Amino acid sequence: MKTILAEKPSVAREIARIVGATQRQEGYLTGNGYNVTWAFGHLVMPALPDGYGIEGFHRDNLPIIPPVFTLVPRQEKTDKGYKPDSGVVAQIKIIAKLFKESDRIIVATDAGREGELIFRYLYEYIGCTTPFDRLWISSLTDKAIREGLEQLKCGAEYDKLYYAAKARSEADWLVGINATQAITVAAGRGTYSLGRVQTPTLAMVCERFWENKRFVPEPVFQLHLSTDGVADGEIVKLSSVEKWKEKPTAETAYGAVKGCETFAVTRMECKEAVQEAPLLYDLTTLQKEANTKHGFSAEQTLSLAQKLYEAKLITYPRTGSRYISEDVFAEVPALLATLKNCPTWGSYVAIMGSPTRRSVDDTKITDHHALLITGMKPKNLDTDDRIIYDMIVGRMLEAFSEKCIKDVTTVRATCGGVEFTIKGAVVKQAGWRAVYREPEDDQEVTLPVWNEGDKLPVRGCSLTEGKTKPKPLHTEASLLSAMQTCGKEVEDEELRLSLKECGIGTPATRASIIETLFKREYMVRQKKSLVPTEKGLSIYSVVKAMRIADVAMTGEWETALAKIENGGMSAETFRKGIEVYASQITSELLTCDKLFSHKDTECQCPKCGKGAMQFYGKVVRCSNPDCALPVFRQKAGKTLTNSDITELLTKGETGVIKGFNSKAGKAFSASITFDADFNTVFVFPDVKKGGNSKRKKK
């Protein structure tokens, strides 16, 4: 008997159908010589500190560095602390029984670092010695599963992958547990969460926020003149090469140009511009573009892609490669042929010709190749599912199409002693840009036939005033790019790909890291922008100069993990380095108590009745660590004074306070009180005498 372990029940059912295991049992399917069972993600995890006899947060216990990590069933948080998840414990017992009764195990968890760890932790926890093989597939089509089962790999071939996964798991434990406890001890109240990757990511968000908010715009003046275009009544506008910061200088130039009836073409430069087709999607690139074009979060895009994968419509989504191998490329014509009758893509497929090879490179493939469709016909897709599926199809068509070739003409001209310029373009070969038929954001105009020395009429001129702009706040798309390149500003796609191994996080984990920052209430979404909260900015102000927030250092650890995976570094060497790092950041954080300065008061906490409310610069918080009720000073654009908050804490409601601003920018007045959960809410003064006041949560 062989037992196959899948990562989740839905995948197990597909594999069971292929191998003929059709009889349902509690926690598994059986038949035809196979038992097919499943995990629910990670069933086993490293024990928390109390598993080593360390209770509570105490300075004397830090750093906590277990000589050997103890594995326990996945824990769930309860009112009385953490305890094993009963459903997980039951499934582990079923799996242990099946493993023990089997001659061989087939590992069918997701073919990647985390999938490998899910099985290995479980195997180790059970104490199993049954030999195992690895099912390594990139899609869940019947064909891929059958071929994978015929070409099983020896489990030992993936030992290095497991060592890297285990090293990552233990590193996150060592850094996360010690950093969280150290900063919480230093703060003396509340609980703050820090992590190996989440804290450098938060630092990038906060750094961009302050850079944006502290930016002082400067005026910029530019001249424009217009002349006749190609068609009657059409206008072509040239812009001055120089931009001025001083208005008088710009006005002087404007006066000189305004008095001219003609301008002279001084130089014509014609070049052929070639735009290579974009590479295929990896997960991060798909997430970035889905966020930019459709407003999807990274987590949402991953969830939708996983759903399409389990529906057999696309290949494995958690890939970090944008290339495919030669053998996969051989299947591309057949995949494209499945689109010929598609209303959306059929007309383009009919004219695109043979697929090009820009995204084909065996040496640039990691665990999995780039995202592709499988050729299965999609049915009854939800709107969001269809958007992601069509994005992958569209990118495939672009990636396998010809280059876009344009003749670009750059014109230089002078008028009144001022130099002007304009670019024009004629598309010779649309190539991959014909897939969506969308103009470029910076699409050049079509110019008339001009020659050097031509005198052209000035039909109008203008002077415009603008302002220099700061870098925008991070979006999930720009944050994903920053995580890929450790915050380096990289526009070139090829260079960005070369830097991605030193990025922080992995394609499979970046979405969850971003979501963790939302769950910790360290940042919020405002439309597409990521805005740090007062809590997030407070943490950043404390740790910004420390190792825990060092983006480059975190990138170096990710590079080290990649070396473990390819055999270039031992897991033991990595572990020793992380232990030293964990000790260093613990010492650093324990000395930052002076950064948590506060004023003690006699105001009793209205929620727990035990702690005293401590006044900090941006927040007032209960001293009882089990409560830690926060009252943030900043409300609707106004900072509450000590007397405002004292009145709220002692009387339960403030008087009417003026100077609040709504999101629409309108000023309003209101009192502040607590709701049933001790969130602060506005109480609006009654407009009509005798009416009821209105409350609004804030």
Side-chain angles (χ1 to χ4, degrees):
M1 181 68 77
K2 295 180 180 179
T3 292
I4 301 176
L5 176 72
E7 191 160 319
K8 57 177 63 176
S10 59
V11 177
R13 287 193 293 269
E14 291 299 319
I15 296 174
R17 181 175 55 80
I18 296 297
V19 300
T22 57
Q23 300 172 38
R24 293 184 176 274
Q25 302 292 333
E26 184 67 32
Y28 67 103
L29 296 144
T30 188
N32 198 31
Y34 289 94
N35 293 319
V36 183
T37 187
W38 52 83
F40 312 112
H42 281 283
L43 297 181
V44 174
M45 58 181 281
L48 294 171
D50 59 5
Y52 309 95
I54 300 172
E55 300 284 349
F57 289 16
H58 301 288
R59 184 182 294 263
D60 294 343
N61 291 334
L62 299 174
I64 304 168
I65 301 179
V68 177
F69 276 93
T70 300
L71 295 176
V72 296
R74 190 170 73 209
Q75 308 283 290
E76 60 180 356
K77 193 172 184 178
T78 68
D79 294 338
K80 297 181 179 180
Y82 286 90
K83 70 174 186 178
D85 184 309
S86 57
V88 165
V89 172
Q91 188 65 12
I92 291 174
K93 288 180 180 178
I94 292 169
I95 294 170
K97 177 177 178 293
L98 296 176
F99 280 4
K100 185 177 180 180
E101 295 172 351
S102 297
D103 303 316
R104 203 156 192 92
I105 298 166
I106 297 174
V107 184
T109 49
D110 280 359
R113 189 188 284 178
E114 286 308 298
E116 191 68 22
L117 190 64
I118 285 170
F119 165 71
R120 297 289 188 118
Y121 267 172
L122 182 61
Y123 189 80
E124 181 181 336
Y125 175 75
I126 290 171
C128 186
T129 57
T130 305
F132 59 91
D133 297 314
R134 194 58 163 98
L135 175 68
W136 195 269
I137 54 178
S138 289
S139 79
L140 289 176
T141 61
D142 291 5
K143 178 174 179 286
I145 293 172
R146 287 194 178 98
E147 289 179 352
L149 290 170
E150 291 171 0
Q151 302 168 18
L152 292 172
K153 307 288 186 181
C154 174
E157 290 185 26
Y158 297 91
D159 284 350
K160 292 173 185 173
L161 181 67
Y162 163 57
Y163 299 150
K166 184 170 182 280
R168 192 278 309 155
S169 173
E170 294 177 354
D172 285 349
W173 193 102
L174 288 166
V175 174
I177 293 292
N178 285 293
T180 294
Q181 293 208 11
I183 195 169
T184 300
V185 168
R189 52 24 175 207
T191 302
Y192 296 93
S193 169
L194 299 181
R196 184 180 64 89
V197 182
Q198 81 174 50
T199 303
T201 303
L202 174 64
M204 290 193 290
V205 174
C206 293
E207 183 179 354
R208 176 64 64 85
F209 173 83
W210 284 124
E211 184 180 358
N212 179 279
K213 295 304 176 187
R214 291 167 177 164
F215 181 83
V216 179
E218 296 179 349
V220 176
F221 300 90
Q222 189 173 24
L223 280 175
H224 310 277
L225 64 81
S226 57
T227 190
D228 298 327
V230 175
D232 290 342
E234 190 176 85
I235 292 295
V236 174
K237 186 166 74 172
L238 294 82
S239 300
S240 61
V241 174
E242 187 174 359
K243 296 179 181 179
W244 297 272
K245 293 183 178 180
E246 303 295 332
K247 188 173 183 178
T249 308
E251 288 177 333
T252 300
Y254 174 64
V257 173
K258 191 176 181 181
C260 298
E261 294 183 355
T262 62
F263 67 93
V265 177
T266 57
R267 190 172 67 185
M268 300 281 293
E269 185 179 81
C270 298
K271 288 184 178 180
E272 183 179 83
V274 176
Q275 295 178 327
E276 294 284 356
L279 295 168
L280 292 164
Y281 282 134
D282 62 0
L283 175 60
T284 302
T285 313
L286 176 66
Q287 288 171 317
K288 289 192 296 185
E289 294 198 11
N291 179 253
T292 300
K293 294 178 179 178
H294 304 288
F296 290 173
S297 70
E299 182 74 15
Q300 182 182 9
T301 299
L302 174 56
S303 176
L304 291 168
Q306 182 69 22
K307 185 178 175 183
L308 293 171
Y309 170 66
E310 292 176 20
K312 309 181 185 182
L313 295 175
I314 65 169
T315 56
Y316 186 66
R318 290 175 169 84
T319 176
S321 176
R322 302 190 66 184
Y323 292 88
I324 59 173
S325 58
E326 290 286 350
D327 60 328
V328 174
F329 180 64
E331 300 174 8
V332 168
L335 290 178
L336 297 176
T338 65
L339 301 169
K340 284 185 176 179
N341 296 322
C342 175
T344 306
W345 311 107
S347 59
Y348 182 80
V349 172
I351 63 168
M352 74 176 287
S354 300
T356 58
R357 302 177 56 84
R358 173 162 158 74
S359 293
V360 183
D361 191 333
D362 289 62
T363 65
K364 293 182 179 179
I365 297 169
T366 51
D367 293 340
H368 295 278
H369 58 67
L371 273 163
L372 297 172
I373 60 169
T374 62
M376 299 285 289
K377 187 176 180 179
K379 296 179 181 178
N380 304 318
L381 291 183
D382 294 338
T383 301
D384 291 350
D385 298 336
R386 171 61 70 176
I387 287 172
I388 296 299
Y389 180 77
D390 280 347
M391 284 183 68
I392 295 168
V393 173
R395 177 49 56 91
M396 277 183 60
L397 296 179
E398 289 179 326
F400 295 122
S401 292
E402 296 291 343
K403 304 170 183 177
C404 174
I405 303 175
K406 298 185 290 185
D407 283 334
V408 178
T409 301
T410 304
V411 178
R412 290 285 181 125
T414 58
C415 183
V418 178
E419 190 171 17
F420 290 83
T421 188
I422 189 174
K423 275 189 178 182
V426 176
V427 176
K428 293 168 58 178
Q429 174 179 293
W432 63 273
R433 286 200 172 276
V435 173
Y436 285 104
R437 303 184 186 89
E438 293 177 351
E440 297 176 64
D441 292 339
D442 57 348
Q443 182 70 37
E444 299 93 347
V445 297
T446 301
L447 298 177
V449 178
W450 292 339
N451 297 294
E452 290 184 9
D454 283 351
K455 298 284 187 179
L456 303 173
V458 176
R459 298 303 185 193
C461 65
S462 62
L463 175 64
T464 59
E465 179 181 354
K467 297 282 186 182
T468 55
K469 294 181 179 179
K471 289 180 183 176
L473 298 176
H474 269 306
T475 62
E476 287 198 44
S478 66
L479 183 58
L480 286 166
S481 289
M483 293 173 78
Q484 269 189 308
T485 60
C486 280
K488 295 182 177 69
E489 299 292 334
V490 181
E491 296 296 331
D492 182 78
E493 178 63 25
E494 296 291 344
L495 181 56
R496 187 185 296 116
L497 286 171
S498 70
L499 284 171
K500 73 177 184 179
E501 284 191 3
C502 69
I504 61 175
T506 66
T509 61
R510 287 177 187 136
S512 64
I513 292 162
I514 293 172
E515 288 301 314
T516 295
L517 294 177
F518 290 124
K519 291 174 184 174
R520 304 292 188 209
E521 298 180 343
Y522 287 161
M523 68 181 187
V524 294
R525 292 185 182 92
Q526 288 185 3
K527 296 183 178 179
K528 287 188 178 181
S529 296
L530 304 180
V531 181
T533 61
E534 290 293 329
K535 184 179 180 182
L537 290 170
S538 297
I539 286 291
Y540 173 67
S541 69
V542 172
V543 304
K544 62 184 178 182
M546 298 182 181
R547 288 178 178 86
I548 186 67
D550 190 330
V551 177
M553 184 173 291
T554 304
E556 290 171 10
W557 290 128
E558 294 291 348
T559 302
L561 289 169
K563 288 181 179 179
I564 296 172
E565 193 170 320
N566 62 33
M569 177 184 284
S570 72
E572 290 75 18
T573 299
F574 176 84
R575 167 69 184 262
K576 289 176 182 176
I578 282 288
E579 288 180 355
V580 171
Y581 175 69
S583 298
Q584 289 172 338
I585 62 171
T586 300
S587 298
E588 211 169 21
L589 289 164
L590 285 172
T591 62
C592 73
D593 49 350
K594 62 183 180 295
L595 298 174
F596 287 94
S597 58
H598 65 271
K599 176 185 176 183
D600 289 316
T601 70
E602 295 181 359
C603 290
Q604 191 178 50
C605 174
K607 183 178 181 181
C608 70
K610 299 177 181 178
M613 298 302 289
Q614 297 174 324
F615 283 61
Y616 296 82
K618 296 178 180 179
V619 67
V620 176
R621 192 181 295 273
C622 175
S623 62
N624 177 8
D626 295 326
C627 173
L629 171 69
V631 180
F632 293 101
R633 291 182 180 272
Q634 192 75 14
K635 301 292 178 188
K638 182 178 180 63
T639 301
L640 300 181
T641 65
N642 285 352
S643 59
D644 291 332
I645 296 178
T646 299
E647 186 177 17
L648 171 64
L649 295 171
T650 56
K651 298 181 179 180
E653 183 172 333
T654 69
V656 175
I657 301 171
K658 298 179 179 180
F660 295 113
N661 283 285
S662 70
K663 291 181 180 179
K666 294 182 179 180
F668 67 91
S669 300
S671 299
I672 296 176
T673 188
F674 292 113
D675 65 12
D677 297 319
F678 289 92
N679 298 304
T680 53
V681 294
F682 287 126
V683 180
F684 296 98
D686 209 5
V687 177
K688 294 182 180 180
K689 190 175 180 180
N692 293 322
S693 297
K694 295 181 179 179
R695 296 188 176 210
K696 181 180 178 183
K697 184 175 177 179
K698 180 64 180 178

